[in-house]
Amino acid sequence: MTDLPTVLAQTKEDFLDLGDKDKIQLLIEFAEELPELPAEYQDHPELLEKVEECQSPVYIFVDVTDGLVAVHATAPIQAPTTRGFASILVQGLSGLNVEEALGIPDDFPSTLGLNTLISPLRVRGMTGMLWRMKRQIREKTSA
Amino acid sequence: MSVPTDSNAKFAEYAHPEAIVSTEWLAANLTNPDVVVVESDEDVLLYEIGHIPGAVKIDWHTDLNDPVLRDYVHGEAFAELLSSKGITRDSTVIIYGDKSNWWAAYALWVFKLFGHADVRLLDGGRDKWIEEGRELTSEQPPLTRSSYPVIERNDAPIRAFLADTLAHIGKPMIDVRSAEEYSGERTHMPAYPEEGALRGGHIPGAASVPWAKAANEDSTFKSRAELEAIYLDGAGLKPGDDVIAYCRIGERSSHTWFVLNYLLGFTGVRNYDGSWTEWGSAVRVPIVKGALPGSL
């Protein structure tokens, strides 16, 4: 078992410390913080991968430069849960080295205490997002 | 019925105009004490970022599903839920939601399993209300607890189980999933998570009518004439038919169930909520692959 990277460990601790109402509020804050896609991706939708596990349209793109990971995602304002999930992963993965990012456990999303509150079906969307991000990292480092 | 029907001309064409209201009607009836507005969304946080003033939230996954069995809640849990939202057995419940009311229609269907008399959908749902620049609030309404009676569900008239659906093969069925789901194409790329069923395809004889065909761009329902062109001329349904609709878990097919039942006036429509996640994993049930309905 590797330790969770710092940002994700903090996110997990924050969620687990909160009551249900505040968990919802924190996820909304994450949704609001999802950064805009960098301009170069806005003009190239073909670079983005659709996360089929989510019922709202969410697209991700992973960039690996000099061994460091950058993750981008975009989802509609009217899909706050999806945006919140994406934002947690964008903030948690960006800046990690490849080994740290690939070491994140696949079940990280279901350890945030959101399963009862949000439903396992929805949390599965975030698991799909993480899975796809890690797959892209592998593809981009083995090339 | 204490709360008047929306006299909108488009609705007057539908078989049951009393089951649907417009945004104008709702805006004018928001303060009616007999009306309770319920938001029910795919995205569980939407209510918190802004909802119609006075609306309460009922979530399909966390409120209406039994937490252990793959089933809906029973009478006591439903009574507790509705009491906590201030809904009485006589309330006029107006449900709206995201994605052309797909989840709102699901919630309405569950209300009907419990026989709640007056439940209506807001035509166009959340999107139309927002598009028109109508008021939203993130404030929770002050709720006065009500006392909703414990009513046991009566599933049979509007809910089909696996065995019912198996026995129904040869009679009209509508598969409301996407064309790719219907034909059974799969994404077989490595490292992609498997879908929630072991086999792809559709139930023999089911016609493919993706649910969203019934909705306009602005999330409202199409007119009666347009709906008849889709379901009668296109899918071959005839008035009086017993129909089963299904999708992946029964949510999109609730939208179609609403259309067939309330807008077109079919009386024997059932929603098979086990849908493809059950059928596509069940042992030895017949499956047809490809774009044609096929038969047994």
Side-chain angles (χ1 to χ4, degrees), chain B residues 63-75:
Chain B
D63 289 327
L64 298 178
N65 260 313
D66 185 278
V68 179
L69 295 189
R70 183 173 174 190
D71 196 5
Y72 301 99
V73 292
H74 280 275

Side-chain angles (χ1 to χ4, degrees), chain A residues 11 33 58 62-63 93:
Chain A
T11 301
E33 287 165 9
V58 52
V62 176
D63 187 34
L93 268 73

Side-chain angles (χ1 to χ4, degrees), chain B residues 3 22-38 51-55 94 96 122 129 134-137:
Chain B
V3 177
S22 61
T23 48
E24 293 80 13
W25 183 96
L26 184 57
N29 283 275
L30 273 185
T31 54
N32 186 327
D34 296 326
V35 170
V36 181
V37 185
V38 171
H51 53 261
I52 295 177
I94 312 291
Y96 74 99
L122 173 66
W129 184 271
R134 296 182 188 274
E135 189 186 354
L136 291 178
T137 177

Side-chain angles (χ1 to χ4, degrees), chain B residues 217-228:
Chain B
E217 283 277 302
D218 67 356
S219 298
T220 56
F221 288 104
K222 287 189 175 157
S223 68
R224 176 146 192 179
E226 290 170 311
L227 294 173
E228 284 180 348

